[in-house]
Amino acid sequence: MLAAAATGAYQFIREQGCDPDRVALSAGLRLEPGLSQTAPLDLAGYCLLFEETTRQSGHAGVGLSYGRHFTPDMLGLIGFIAMASPTLGNAVENVAELFPYHQGGTMTRLVHQDDGRARLEYRIMAGGIIGRGQDAELTMGMFCNIFRHVLGQYWAPRAIWLEHRRIAAPGEYDNAFGAPVHFGMGVNAVVFDRAEMGCAMPQGNVRLLDVLRCSLTALSPAAMRQQSVPATDPLLSRIRTEIRYAMGNGVPVLSQVAETLRMPRWTLQRRLDGMGITFSALVERTRQEVAREYLARPTMPIGEIALLLGYSEISAFSRAFRKWTGVSPRLYRTARQAGGDRQTRAHAGTGQVFVPAGQEI
């Protein structure tokens, strides 16, 4: 993704009572105040940046606060493209079309509903990024501010959709959106009246728009291809992504994943059979991969990892992880930090790993 998405983040994190350098280090990023807006930034690290700010500050509404004050010009090229569009409808269409160039591994689209409304949808499709609730909330705030650039600061959407469960106080959502917020949806979205799309953008400039579009697509030509040409079977990638999303709400269920993918349960089952894999095996494999990814982050509590993987208790996660590797989650993490991950894996399953009393999870 382009670093414009982190405009003002350094000072914002400091205002949350956190050390920006420490938070950025925990997220695996180098976050400098003078960072160029067109510099590349790791998407997973960006999402983790706000999750870490939440954890270190104790403020669950970090994403809402950041997105609420993030004006279109702060978004860099994609924001200027929206402002240079002739109408609000053109601005939303351009954002939906070009946002994947600004941020790879992402799906954005404009959907026209039958009730006279439309919605601008947003969803991260890149695997391995589970902690994305703060990112979703700040992005919805950014999108709303594109509308407010035209319709005034008191404009409110008809509704906000969020994929995750509520993570901040109800009043914070009211302050950020002034509209009903629906949680546990299949996608993140800003819902608005289609009649508003005809409003003229105050800084519309068609000639400038063409230059800006070319500049953005030239900066990141691979972003769109990343979405449309997956490296593995497209359906399998989507199923694995849905499993990752669903894990935070408990054990993923085939029928729920099928519903999200908008296909009958039996069709999904048949497609998996054709690939020679069962749904339960896919869930197990995905859990193992995600568990290792999270345990590689030293600041992430093991109890939080267990919940994100769909386990109601740390002990259940520990038993499952020991079954996969032969060692406890804590010992696995300690070995990685000590540079002994290779040796730990060599002992996995042999029962020859010594764990000091009181050190197991």
Side-chain angles (χ1 to χ4, degrees):
M1 66 185 301
L2 300 182
T7 300
Y10 195 91
Q11 181 60 30
F12 173 80
I13 294 171
R14 177 172 288 160
E15 292 170 354
Q16 303 304 302
C18 301
D19 179 347
D21 294 316
R22 179 185 173 194
V23 172
L25 181 63
S26 298
L29 295 178
R30 289 186 61 189
L31 193 63
E32 302 169 359
L35 189 65
S36 169
Q37 288 196 331
T38 56
L41 205 64
D42 177 62
L43 176 57
Y46 179 80
C47 292
L48 187 56
L49 182 73
F50 295 98
E51 300 293 332
E52 276 294 311
T53 303
T54 297
R55 189 182 70 82
Q56 295 187 26
S57 68
H59 177 207
V62 162
L64 294 172
S65 297
Y66 186 65
R68 185 180 179 187
H69 300 288
F70 205 99
T71 54
D73 60 296
M74 296 169 69
L75 262 174
L77 283 170
I78 190 68
F80 288 116
I81 284 171
M83 292 190 293
S85 301
T87 67
L88 177 59
N90 296 136
V92 176
E93 290 168 354
N94 283 324
V95 170
E97 175 192 352
L98 299 173
F99 199 84
Y101 286 99
H102 167 81
Q103 179 175 303
T106 302
M107 180 279 293
T108 47
R109 65 175 181 172
L110 176 62
V111 178
H112 292 274
Q113 301 179 176
D114 296 332
D115 58 359
R117 299 177 180 178
R119 62 181 185 268
L120 177 58
E121 296 184 347
Y122 167 83
R123 189 178 196 191
I124 292 176
M125 303 302 291
I129 307 176
I130 294 181
R132 58 186 75 185
Q134 298 295 339
D135 170 79
E137 294 185 358
L138 69 87
T139 303
M140 293 303 97
M142 292 175 180
F143 284 175
C144 283
N145 283 339
I146 294 175
F147 289 83
R148 290 171 182 146
H149 179 74
V150 187
L151 303 173
Q153 61 176 323
Y154 298 110
W155 174 87
R158 286 295 182 177
I160 293 291
W161 291 4
L162 293 170
E163 294 175 293
H164 53 271
R165 295 172 290 181
R166 182 171 66 82
I167 53 182
E172 295 201 63
Y173 292 99
D174 292 338
N175 291 335
F177 303 119
V181 180
H182 305 286
F183 301 94
M185 305 298 286
V187 70
N188 307 295
V190 175
V191 182
F192 59 95
D193 289 326
R194 288 212 307 264
E196 297 170 335
M197 297 177 70
C199 296
M201 297 293 287
Q203 297 170 301
N205 186 324
V206 176
R207 291 183 179 179
L208 178 59
L209 175 63
D210 185 57
V211 174
L212 292 169
R213 286 177 58 99
C214 291
S215 298
L216 178 60
T217 54
L219 272 175
S220 184
M224 187 69 78
R225 293 199 299 271
Q226 181 178 346
Q227 287 199 118
S228 57
V229 187
T232 57
D233 184 285
L235 178 59
L236 185 60
S237 295
R238 291 180 66 196
I239 296 171
R240 288 169 63 85
T241 297
E242 296 303 333
I243 288 173
R244 287 175 178 260
Y245 274 117
M247 283 192 300
N249 296 318
V251 181
V253 178
L254 177 64
S255 58
Q256 294 175 341
V257 172
E259 183 178 354
T260 304
L261 295 176
R262 298 179 182 177
M263 67 171 59
R265 182 184 184 280
W266 65 268
T267 300
L268 179 57
Q269 183 67 67
R270 179 170 52 82
R271 295 291 296 274
L272 286 172
D273 290 342
M275 298 177 196
I277 187 170
T278 66
F279 182 77
S280 60
L282 198 56
V283 170
E284 192 82 350
R285 183 186 305 172
T286 304
R287 272 179 155 175
Q288 292 184 47
E289 293 174 357
V290 176
R292 289 186 171 92
E293 290 172 9
Y294 276 177
L295 286 170
R297 300 174 182 174
T299 61
M300 197 167 191
I302 292 179
E304 182 180 341
I305 295 174
L307 290 175
L308 289 171
L309 293 174
Y311 294 99
S312 58
E313 298 179 352
I314 298 179
S315 59
F317 169 51
S318 180
R319 287 194 296 271
F321 194 83
R322 179 174 286 280
K323 175 183 175 184
W324 302 331
T325 67
V327 297
S328 72
R330 179 172 292 175
L331 182 58
Y332 179 89
R333 168 176 279 174
T334 301
R336 283 186 60 91
Q337 292 174 323
D341 187 42
R342 181 181 304 173
Q343 182 178 359
T344 300
R345 287 198 302 270
H347 284 87
T350 66
Q352 298 176 5
V353 178
F354 172 74
V355 183
Q359 293 299 305
E360 278 206 23
I361 289 296

